[in-house]
């Protein structure tokens, strides 16, 4: 059974830092691209960042580029998101997301973690 | 960036009804289009991937079609547990983008 267990999050002041973690199990973690997606409560979904399976390529939304860093430890089956210079508008529920595979292709959003709340407020 | 426009933004239907939601992409998204279901306080759940592929374990009353810029999501016979918000999402180009959501209410 695929499981993505998220931790981290909480309340932080503007300009502060926070680290989110996602512990994966039930699948061969090192063979899947992983991502983070966020959602402001009551609002829509926003893609944040993606890290390919090998860890050799990372992608970021313009809104977080230069402030957030996505990383993975394929030996520990964990995905992380280091968030710095946090802004009030970064307040959201953050989801860890696993790609899926079919035939010779991949698709986004196969399985989502439970979400973790990040609140940036003074 | 590809903008995804869903319609309607909300709808109300009865159990057993056939319901359709559309998603329009501002640029060609090929078939790289997903549909998700999200219930309050829960993470989104993937229902349809690559425009028309039903994820394993998802009831067959859910279906998707389309390619390029116009996509459709259908529930063939609405059930009470289908009350939720539904999102489309393209993953053809970064930044991946979502529609604004369609809130489906059961009468």
């Amino acid at each position: 059974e695929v499981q993505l267990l998220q931790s981290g999050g909480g309340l932080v002041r503007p300009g502060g830092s926070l680290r989110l973690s996602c512990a994966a199990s039930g699948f061969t973690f090192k063979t899947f691209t992983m991502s983070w997606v966020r959602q402001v409560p009551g609002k829509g979904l926003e893609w944040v960042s993606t890290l390919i399976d090998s860890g050799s390529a990372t992608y970021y939304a313009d809104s977080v580029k230069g402030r957030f860093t996505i990383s993975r430890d394929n030996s520990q089956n964990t995905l992380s998101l280091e968030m710095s210079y946090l802004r009030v508008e970064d307040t959201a529920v953050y989801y860890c997301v696993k790609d899926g595979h079919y035939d010779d292709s991949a698709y986004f959003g196969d399985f989502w973690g439970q979400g973790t709340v990040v609140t940036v407020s003074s | 960036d590809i903008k995804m426009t869903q319609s309607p933004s909300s709808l109300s239907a009865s159990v057993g009804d056939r319901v359709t939601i559309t998603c329009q992409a501002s640029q060609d998204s090929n078939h790289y289009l997903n549909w998700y279901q999200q219930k309050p306080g829960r993470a989104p759940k993937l229902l349809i991937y690559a425009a028309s592929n039903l994820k394993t374990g998802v009831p067959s009353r859910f279906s998707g079609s389309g390619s390029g810029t116009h996509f459709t999501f259908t529930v063939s016979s609405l059930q009470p547990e289908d009350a939720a918000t539904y999102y489309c999402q393209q993953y053809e180009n970064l930044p991946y983008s979502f529609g604004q959501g369609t809130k489906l209410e059961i009468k």
Side-chain angles (χ1 to χ4, degrees), chain B residues 3-100:
Chain B
K3 179 177 171 61
M4 308 301 291
T5 303
Q6 268 181 253
S7 62
S9 56
S10 65
L11 75 144
S12 181
S14 301
V15 172
D17 282 354
R18 181 182 182 89
V19 168
T20 297
I21 299 169
T22 64
C23 185
Q24 187 85 19
S26 63
Q27 300 173 37
D28 186 355
S29 296
N30 204 323
H31 62 279
Y32 300 110
L33 190 286
N34 289 344
W35 290 96
Y36 301 91
Q37 177 192 68
Q38 186 179 32
K39 296 184 178 181
R42 305 293 299 272
K45 174 186 172 185
L46 180 68
L47 302 179
I48 303 287
Y49 65 92
S52 60
N53 292 272
L54 188 69
K55 184 177 174 180
T56 301
V58 174
S60 59
R61 64 180 180 275
F62 296 103
S63 65
S65 65
S67 68
T69 61
H70 188 78
F71 302 88
T72 300
F73 172 80
T74 299
V75 186
S76 61
S77 180
L78 201 60
Q79 298 301 303
E81 61 267 29
D82 298 337
T85 299
Y86 293 83
Y87 294 93
C88 64
Q89 179 236 340
Q90 68 80 20
Y91 57 101
E92 160 72 5
N93 284 335
L94 289 167
Y96 299 151
S97 49
F98 294 83
Q100 78 278 16

Side-chain angles (χ1 to χ4, degrees), chain A residues 48-106:
Chain A
V48 172
S49 182
T50 290
L51 174 55
I52 68 169
D53 50 5
S54 65
S56 61
T58 58
Y59 306 93
Y60 297 95
D62 285 347
S63 58
V64 307
K65 200 173 296 181
R67 301 186 299 120
F68 289 12
T69 302
I70 190 172
S71 62
R72 65 192 297 160
D73 184 338
N74 285 344
S75 67
Q76 297 293 317
N77 293 347
T78 58
L79 178 74
S80 297
L81 185 68
E82 189 73 43
M83 304 184 293
S84 303
Y85 303 103
L86 282 160
R87 305 168 180 167
V88 170
E89 55 265 34
D90 294 320
T91 295
V93 177
Y94 285 73
Y95 294 102
C96 166
V97 182
K98 166 191 170 292
D99 262 22
H101 291 165
Y102 78 109
D103 297 337
D104 292 325
S105 300

